[in-house]
Amino acid sequence: MGRIAVVGLGLIGGSVAAALKRAGHHVCGFDENSETAEVAHELALIHELATTLRSAVAGAEMVVVAVPIAAVPHVVAEIDETAESGATVLDTASVKDSVIEAMERLPHAERFVGGHPMAGTESTGPQSARADLFQKRPFALVPSSRTTSEALLAARRLVESLGAYPLVLEAALHDEIVARTSHMPYLASTALALSCEPGDYRLAGPGLHDMLRLASGDRGMWHDIAVENREPILSALAHYRKNLDEVMQALDEGRWDDFDSLLLRGQEAASNIRRPTT
């Protein structure tokens, strides 16, 4: 199979590299952080380690960009200048609207596809990378107005080789959905952690631990996500607060029929969201 470059070798980039390597692709990796790059190489997540972005993408049929959101515009612009004419470029940032805008301005915008794997953990770095991280998980693909059908098809095939299933969406819709399904849960987890007392760990069960897991995530990454997707996140949080207020009011007023109805509606909504992925 062909040569693929992975730019950014943290949890997501390292997992992408490991999955592609397992699928039979020749993977070249690059990371601005030399320590991260060396760890990824030592863990055999990649076949070869490039010392520059230019050497990483040279000759690659596909380039996967897994860098922080704030760095994406600069990185994709440099890739556009150096990658082979036939190479497709796919990013993995958690917010798509600003990324797509940056891609559309590039001279060779037709080969760029926005992407976002709906997978991850609270851990960071290549030492936490897993080749099976994307198995049976959705992977959003967000073409720009200039993305060609050939580039989108190449991105689809790569996503499928990771074990994920592609879901094509528009940027604005993607950002609205992930504000509810990813960004709001992190902030709700943070608020929940702040609502507990220091000694509560003595009686903290697995349910609380599960709900607090997100609050242990990478603060820098979540800061950047909040900056880039502020309005959809605020809308999602407002809706969450409205539902929480309903629960509190029913409880405060002893309206037990209404309280039970809210619990039932929540149970049904949870079952719908948690239904098995295809």
Side-chain angles (χ1 to χ4, degrees), residues 21 41 77 88 127 130 139 149 167 176 186-187 219 229 231 244 257 268 272-273:
K21 187 181 175 191
H41 197 209
T88 299
Q127 63 274 10
R130 291 171 21 210
F139 195 122
S149 57
L167 183 63
E176 289 174 10
Y186 168 76
L187 294 174
R219 298 191 310 276
N229 207 32
E231 292 304 322
L244 185 59
D257 287 345
E268 292 171 344
N272 183 57
I273 293 292

Side-chain angles (χ1 to χ4, degrees), residues 172-241:
L173 178 59
H174 167 276
D175 290 355
E176 289 174 10
I177 292 175
V178 296
R180 294 188 292 269
T181 63
S182 179
H183 309 162
M184 178 182 67
Y186 168 76
L187 294 174
S189 179
T190 298
L192 178 60
L194 293 170
S195 302
C196 293
E197 296 295 332
D200 289 352
Y201 72 90
R202 294 171 294 176
L203 292 177
L208 181 62
H209 281 280
D210 287 345
M211 294 183 71
L212 294 182
R213 179 181 63 82
L214 292 176
S216 300
D218 184 343
R219 298 191 310 276
M221 178 188 76
W222 284 107
H223 173 90
D224 291 347
I225 287 172
V227 170
E228 294 292 336
N229 207 32
R230 178 184 176 189
E231 292 304 322
I233 293 173
L234 284 171
S235 177
L237 286 171
H239 191 56
Y240 176 74
R241 182 169 59 186

Side-chain angles (χ1 to χ4, degrees), residues 96-191:
K96 295 269 68 85
D97 201 37
S98 58
V99 168
I100 294 302
E101 285 184 10
M103 288 179 171
E104 285 180 327
R105 294 193 295 267
L106 297 173
H108 303 100
E110 67 279 354
R111 61 178 173 181
F112 285 83
V113 183
H116 180 203
M118 298 307 299
T121 73
E122 70 276 17
S123 301
T124 60
Q127 63 274 10
S128 301
R130 291 171 21 210
D132 64 349
L133 186 65
F134 311 106
Q135 285 291 323
K136 298 182 180 180
R137 298 299 306 159
F139 195 122
L141 291 178
V142 184
S144 77
S145 61
R146 295 178 60 189
T147 302
T148 64
S149 57
E150 291 81 8
L152 184 58
L153 178 59
R156 277 181 175 273
R157 288 174 174 166
L158 181 137
V159 166
E160 289 167 353
S161 74
L162 297 176
Y165 62 91
L167 183 63
V168 180
L169 297 168
E170 293 183 350
L173 178 59
H174 167 276
D175 290 355
E176 289 174 10
I177 292 175
V178 296
R180 294 188 292 269
T181 63
S182 179
H183 309 162
M184 178 182 67
Y186 168 76
L187 294 174
S189 179
T190 298

Side-chain angles (χ1 to χ4, degrees), residues 41-107:
H41 197 209
E42 289 171 4
L43 292 173
L45 301 179
I46 54 179
H47 289 100
E48 60 175 302
L49 179 61
T51 56
T52 66
L53 180 60
R54 181 179 294 273
S55 62
V57 303
E61 296 178 6
M62 189 101 187
V63 181
V64 180
V65 179
V67 300
I69 298 172
V72 172
H74 166 72
V75 171
V76 295
E78 188 172 350
I79 290 172
D80 196 37
E81 294 177 355
T82 59
E84 301 293 328
S85 60
T88 299
V89 184
L90 173 70
D91 92 295
T92 61
S94 302
V95 182
K96 295 269 68 85
D97 201 37
S98 58
V99 168
I100 294 302
E101 285 184 10
M103 288 179 171
E104 285 180 327
R105 294 193 295 267
L106 297 173

